[in-house]
């Protein structure tokens, strides 16, 4: 895992396993483009899920 992926994963763990994408973006010191890359990589790896609602939620699988 990259540093950004680890930060995202640890943040989700600290929130009980899921959080809104917007909350991740506001709480983590990661530029938006790098956060999107971390999210898509973790989703493709099967580590987290991202739903497609108006306010996307990330969940540890």
């Amino acid at each position: 895992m990259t540093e950004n992926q680890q930060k995202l994963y640890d943040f989700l763990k600290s929130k009980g396993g899921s959080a809104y994408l917007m909350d991740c973006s506001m709480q983590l010191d990661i530029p938006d483009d790098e956060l999107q890359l971390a999210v898509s990589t973790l989703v493709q790896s099967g580590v987290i899920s991202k739903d497609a609602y108006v306010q996307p939620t990330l969940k540890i699988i």
Side-chain angles (χ1 to χ4, degrees):
M1 264 194 221
T2 67
E3 185 180 344
N4 288 340
Q5 292 169 355
Q6 190 65 53
K7 279 184 189 176
L8 176 59
Y9 184 80
D10 290 344
F11 179 74
L12 290 173
K13 260 178 110 169
S14 75
K15 295 293 180 188
S18 70
Y20 287 126
L21 179 55
M22 188 180 3
D23 292 340
C24 298
S25 181
M26 291 189 309
Q27 298 290 325
L28 297 169
D29 187 27
I30 303 174
D32 278 348
D33 57 336
E34 292 182 28
L35 179 60
Q36 291 298 335
L37 178 62
V39 168
S40 62
T41 303
L42 289 175
V43 168
Q44 288 171 356
S45 302
V47 177
I48 65 172
S49 66
K50 176 184 174 190
D51 60 35
Y53 298 116
V54 175
Q55 218 179 26
T57 303
L58 304 177
K59 289 184 182 169
I60 296 175
I61 298 175

